[in-house]
Amino acid sequence: MTIVRPNRKVLTMWRILLVVVSFLPILAISLFLTSSTLYKVGVGIWGVLFILLFAWYLPKLYNSMVYIIDENNVVFRRGAFITKVVNMPINNIQYTTISISPFARIMGVVTLIVVAPGARLSLAGLSMKEARRISKDITTLIEVCGDV
Amino acid sequence: MFEKKIKSHPYVAVKQMRWIFVFGVIPLIRGLIATFKGDFSVWTQGLWLDLSILILITIYAVIYRHFNLCIYNNYSIEEEVGLFFHYKKSIPWQTITLIKLYQPFYLRPFGASYIRVDTIGGNYRKSDINICLPTNDALQLIEFYRKNHDDSNVEMVYHPKLSSIIALASISTNNMIGVIYLATFISQSGKILGNEFSDMLVGSFENFARTISVHVPPAAAAIAYFILIAWLIGVGFTVVRYGDYKVARKEDSIVVDTGIFSKQTQIIPQDQINYFYIPQNVLAYIFGFRSLYVSVVGVGKERMDTKCIIPSLRKSEFDKELEKLLPSYTPSENYLYPRKGMFRYFLEPTIYLVLCLTFVFAGSYFFPHWQDFILFVGTMVFIPIVGLFVIRVAGRKQSGVGYANGVYTLRHSDRFTLQTILIPEDQIVQITLKQSWWQQYRGNATLKIHTVSEGRKIHKAYNVEHKKALEFFSLTNPDIIIA
C-alpha cells in the first residue's frame, strides 16, 4: 500500500491564486461602492472572507487530502467541511495522464489524472518523480489484475 | 526493460504553423490601416513586428514538435504532448480497445503516419492517443504490439470481391460527401479558373438539365441530377476507401487492412468488441444484401474509420462468409418475440402518408400554377414513405431476441433500417424490463439491453412477453421475492 500526501507547494499555489483572484472583488468594490460607509462595509466583509480562506479554509482543505494506492483500489480523500472519499478499482482504470500547467511547472508540482470509464480522478500536488512512480505502479497493478 | 522513444514527424511542426493564420491578422490590420492612410512607410517601419511574429511562431512550432513524443515499453504506450500545458499520457497495453495505423495519401510522400490508440475511458469524441510519427517508426510500433500482445496465428483471412465493395458503396453511401464535393467544385471553379469557366460549368449543367428533364420542371430535374452526380462521387470515394480490403481473424484479435491511396490498419482485440451489427436499409433489404459492421470503442471517431467487416453480400454468401470468419457470431433463431401489434409498427408511416397526401391535394388546390412542382415533390416524398412501410413490414416479421454460443441476437427495425445485432453476453452491463400500465395488463414489456460503451448504448425490443423475458435472461423477478 502506498500513502501519499500532496506537496506543500500546492497550498502555496492555491494561496497565490486566491490573491490574484482577489483583485477582482476589490476592483468591483472600488468601482461600484462609492459611498464611504458601503465601501468600508464591502472592504471589511471581503477582508474577513479573504483571511478565513487564506489562513483557515485552504490549510484545512490541504491537510484533509490524502491519496492511497493499494493492490485493488486508488483512494482519494479530501474535504474541509464535507469529506469526500473516492474509491476507484484498479481493474477499471484505463490510463493515467501527468498534467503540468505553466504555473504548476514554476512551483514544481504536477497533477496525476487517473481515468476509468465514466470517471476521472485528479491527484494534484505531486512531484514529477512521485507522479511517474504512482503511474508506473498503477500500470503494473492493471497488468496483474488483467492476468488474474 | 525495453523502452523506445520516438519523436513525432516534422509535419507536426507544420501543423502548428496554423497559428500564423491567427496572429497573421496583426500584419494584415496594419497593412489595411496603411492602405487607408495611403502611407506605406508606416507599414514598412513596423515590418520588424510582422517578421518577429512569424519567427516566434516558427520557433514555437519547432519546439512543440521537439516535445511531442511517443514512448512505448513492455507495459504501456505513452504520449507526451504540449509546450505550455504539457501532458504525459500512459496507456497500459491491456486496456487498449483499438490500435490503428493510418497513412493519409497527402502524407505518404513525406513518410508520415498517424498512430491512434483508444480505450474505453477518456473523451468519447477524440482518441486517447493520436500522434503523427515517421512511417518506419510507426510500423515498428505496430510490429512490437503484434509480437508482444497479439502473437497468435492468423486463423482466417477474408478478401471481399470488388462487386461486394461496389454494392456496399452503392447502397450505403452517404450522399453528403458527394454533395459537398460537387458544390465546392462548382463554386470554387470561378475563383480558380475565372468567372467565365464557372459560368460555363453552371450554364452547361442548366442546359443539360433542360435537355433531359422530361415532363418534369427543369429546376426540379436539376436538383435531382445534382444529387445523382453527387451520389456517384460518394460511391467513388467509398470504393477507393475500401480498395485492397482485407480482414484477418486471429485468436485474440481482428485485423482490418484497407485503402488504396490512404492506407489504414486497425487491430481490434476480440475481447474488446462490444457487438457486431448487420444493418439493412430499404435498398439492401429489397435486393437481399447484408453487411457486417463492428462496434468497438475507438472505431468511428474519425471519418475515415472502417467499421465494416464484411461488405455487401447476398444472404447465402453472407452467411457462409460469416460462418468462416466469425463462427461464434452466427445469428441465432428468435426465442423471444414481440407481440405483433399493428399500431406500433404502422402508425408513424401512416401519419407521414396522410401528411404527404394532404400537402399534395391542398397545394394543388390553393396553388394551381405550381401543380407540376407540387406533384413532383409529393412523389419524391412518397418514395421514402413507401420505404418506411417496407421496413416496418419486415421488422414486424423478423423482430425478436435469440441466444446461442454465448451471443445474443437482437433483431428490430429502427427508422429506415432493419438491424440485426450480435452481442457477446459478457458485453451486457444492464438489462431493463420496462412496463407501462397497458403493458402490465397485457403481460408485455419493453426490453432494453445496455452494452459496454464509452457513452450510453441501449438496444431495444418492444412488446416482448414479460415472463418469458425474465426466464430467457435468467433475471430475478422482484414480484416473486416480495410476495
Side-chain angles (χ1 to χ4, degrees):
Chain A
M1 185 186 293
T2 311
I3 300 172
V4 179
R5 299 203 91 94
N7 198 305
R8 194 130 189 112
K9 287 178 189 173
V10 82
L11 177 60
T12 312
M13 263 177 68
W14 290 346
R15 282 173 163 163
I16 292 171
L17 281 169
L18 177 66
V19 167
V20 168
V21 164
S22 296
F23 280 113
L24 291 170
I26 289 169
L27 194 66
I29 290 167
S30 62
L31 282 175
F32 295 109
L33 298 179
T34 47
S35 86
S36 62
T37 319
L38 271 174
Y39 183 79
K40 281 176 189 168
V41 167
V43 167
I45 291 172
W46 173 243
V48 167
L49 210 57
F50 179 85
I51 289 166
L52 279 172
L53 284 169
F54 193 94
W56 183 68
Y57 175 77
L58 288 179
K60 198 170 160 63
L61 184 65
Y62 169 76
N63 288 329
S64 72
M65 285 168 68
V66 68
Y67 316 131
I68 300 169
I69 296 103
D70 66 24
E71 64 258 18
N72 293 318
N73 298 291
V74 172
V75 183
F76 169 40
R77 188 196 72 185
R78 118 177 194 162
F81 303 114
I82 300 167
T83 307
K84 188 166 91 169
V85 177
V86 178
N87 217 303
M88 188 179 274
I90 293 278
N91 61 2
N92 278 345
I93 294 172
Q94 299 301 305
Y95 61 86
T96 56
T97 303
I98 297 174
S99 163
I100 316 164
S101 67
F103 186 36
R105 196 193 301 270
I106 295 167
M107 299 301 295
V109 291
V110 305
T111 301
L112 178 68
I113 302 169
V114 182
V115 177
R120 63 200 287 141
L121 210 54
S122 287
L123 312 182
L126 301 170
S127 66
M128 181 56 103
K129 198 174 161 190
E130 262 176 344
R132 279 198 184 128
R133 183 175 56 85
I134 295 171
S135 175
K136 199 173 163 196
D137 287 346
I138 291 174
T139 305
T140 312
L141 287 168
I142 290 170
E143 176 127 349
V144 166
C145 281
D147 290 339
V148 165
Chain B
M1 188 183 76
F2 168 81
E3 186 171 276
K4 183 157 182 185
K5 207 180 265 197
I6 311 168
K7 213 188 275 193
S8 60
H9 192 272
Y11 174 68
V12 170
V14 171
K15 261 177 87 172
Q16 292 303 312
M17 301 288 282
R18 71 182 185 271
W19 288 106
I20 286 174
F21 295 105
V22 174
F23 291 102
V25 76
I26 299 168
L28 190 68
I29 290 171
R30 287 187 346 96
L32 283 170
I33 292 169
T35 310
F36 286 129
K37 280 188 177 171
D39 182 11
F40 283 98
S41 62
V42 172
W43 182 69
T44 51
Q45 276 171 15
L47 199 57
W48 65 270
L49 177 65
D50 303 336
L51 286 173
S52 303
I53 292 171
L54 276 174
I55 290 167
L56 278 170
I57 291 172
T58 310
I59 292 170
Y60 164 78
V62 169
I63 297 174
Y64 180 94
R65 181 239 161 186
H66 179 77
F67 284 105
N68 190 202
L69 305 169
C70 176
I71 304 157
Y72 62 92
N73 53 42
N74 293 330
Y75 300 109
S76 61
I77 177 169
E78 299 171 0
E79 183 193 19
E80 285 194 37
V81 66
L83 195 55
F84 301 114
F85 291 89
H86 190 73
Y87 298 96
K88 183 176 174 177
K89 194 174 281 183
S90 172
I91 299 181
W93 293 112
Q94 280 186 309
T95 62
I96 286 171
T97 58
L98 169 77
I99 180 164
K100 177 168 172 172
L101 170 70
Y102 177 52
Q103 299 171 267
F105 69 92
Y106 54 88
L107 289 182
R108 281 179 73 188
F110 304 104
S113 303
Y114 278 96
I115 287 284
R116 267 181 55 207
V117 174
D118 226 317
T119 67
I120 200 170
N123 194 323
Y124 69 92
R125 285 206 186 101
K126 281 170 32 174
S127 300
D128 295 323
I129 287 179
N130 190 6
I131 184 166
C132 184
L133 299 174
T135 300
N136 286 338
D137 291 321
L139 287 168
Q140 276 181 21
L141 192 160
I142 294 289
E143 201 48 48
F144 176 84
Y145 175 77
R146 279 182 163 151
K147 228 168 39 174
N148 291 281
H149 301 277
D150 186 34
D151 61 352
S152 51
N153 292 326
V154 173
E155 293 173 350
M156 166 73 194
V157 179
Y158 170 63
H159 284 279
K161 295 181 221 169
L162 181 61
S163 55
S164 169
I165 294 171
I166 292 173
L168 173 77
S170 309
I171 290 166
S172 66
T173 297
N174 181 354
N175 246 0
M176 192 56 68
I177 305 165
V179 168
I180 290 169
Y181 180 81
L182 200 58
T184 309
F185 176 73
I186 292 173
S187 65
Q188 296 299 315
S189 60
K191 285 181 197 171
I192 299 164
L193 296 166
N195 287 327
E196 284 169 8
F197 178 78
S198 176
D199 292 343
M200 187 180 81
L201 201 63
V202 172
S204 302
F205 183 74
E206 206 179 301
N207 290 335
F208 175 71
R210 280 184 199 285
T211 310
I212 299 191
S213 59
V214 179
H215 302 302
V216 173
I223 294 168
Y225 292 127
F226 185 82
I227 292 174
L228 180 65
I229 295 166
W231 174 75
L232 285 169
I233 292 170
V235 167
F237 275 124
T238 307
V239 169
V240 165
R241 182 147 65 107
Y242 283 91
D244 201 21
Y245 189 80
K246 184 178 84 176
V247 178
R249 172 171 55 84
K250 302 166 100 174
E251 192 186 331
D252 298 326
S253 66
I254 289 174
V255 183
V256 180
D257 291 290
T258 184
I260 298 174
F261 302 119
S262 295
K263 289 187 168 294
Q264 37 182 318
T265 300
Q266 281 175 186
I267 304 174
I268 305 167
Q270 283 221 39
D271 59 355
Q272 301 289 353
I273 291 171
N274 301 145
Y275 56 88
F276 289 98
Y277 60 104
I278 305 167
Q280 284 182 288
N281 60 21
V282 176
L283 280 177
Y285 177 72
I286 291 168
F287 292 109
F289 283 102
R290 282 165 166 75
S291 313
L292 182 76
Y293 290 79
V294 68
S295 174
V296 66
V297 172
V299 176
K301 286 186 178 178
E302 305 281 333
R303 208 170 54 77
M304 293 304 289
D305 279 351
T306 313
K307 286 180 142 186
C308 186
I309 300 294
I310 300 177
S312 290
L313 291 170
R314 292 286 170 109
K315 187 182 182 313
S316 53
E317 273 183 82
F318 177 83
D319 290 343
K320 240 191 308 182
E321 295 299 342
L322 182 60
E323 172 79 22
K324 276 194 289 185
L325 185 62
L326 299 163
S328 52
Y329 286 96
T330 313
S332 51
E333 295 299 319
N334 285 339
Y335 174 79
L336 212 57
Y337 290 90
R339 298 279 176 89
K340 305 267 193 245
M342 300 284 279
F343 187 78
R344 202 196 83 72
Y345 287 96
F346 299 115
L347 176 65
E348 192 186 348
T350 308
I351 290 171
Y352 295 147
L353 183 64
V354 166
L355 286 172
C356 175
L357 291 171
T358 309
F359 163 75
V360 170
F361 286 119
S364 302
Y365 180 75
F366 289 110
F367 304 101
H369 298 295
W370 286 84
Q371 195 176 30
D372 281 346
F373 186 71
I374 289 168
L375 276 172
F376 172 71
V377 170
T379 311
M380 295 304 283
V381 170
F382 181 70
I383 293 168
I385 294 173
V386 168
L388 191 57
F389 267 108
V390 167
I391 291 294
R392 290 301 168 90
V393 166
R396 190 167 174 270
K397 213 168 64 173
Q398 291 179 10
S399 291
V401 187
Y403 175 83
N405 299 328
V407 174
Y408 285 95
T409 304
L410 173 65
R411 294 179 179 86
H412 67 101
S413 62
D414 179 18
R415 291 279 145 176
F416 288 92
T417 313
L418 280 171
Q419 293 277 9
T420 304
I421 302 167
L422 308 166
I423 311 170
E425 61 185 333
D426 59 354
Q427 294 292 320
I428 295 176
V429 293
Q430 182 178 315
I431 297 173
T432 305
L433 284 170
K434 194 171 149 186
Q435 287 181 296
S436 64
W437 66 268
W438 178 247
Q439 284 176 315
Q440 278 188 38
Y441 172 71
R442 296 290 303 265
N444 297 337
T446 300
L447 170 70
K448 291 187 188 179
I449 300 175
H450 298 239
T451 50
V452 173
S453 170
E454 215 160 4
R456 267 160 57 101
K457 191 68 203 169
I458 307 171
H459 311 279
K460 295 178 190 167
Y462 294 95
N463 258 4
V464 297
E465 200 181 321
H466 184 242
K467 271 196 188 137
K468 220 173 169 185
L470 284 170
E471 174 206 316
F472 182 67
F473 289 103
S474 307
L475 300 175
T476 311
N477 188 348
D479 296 332
I480 294 172
I481 291 171
I482 292 165

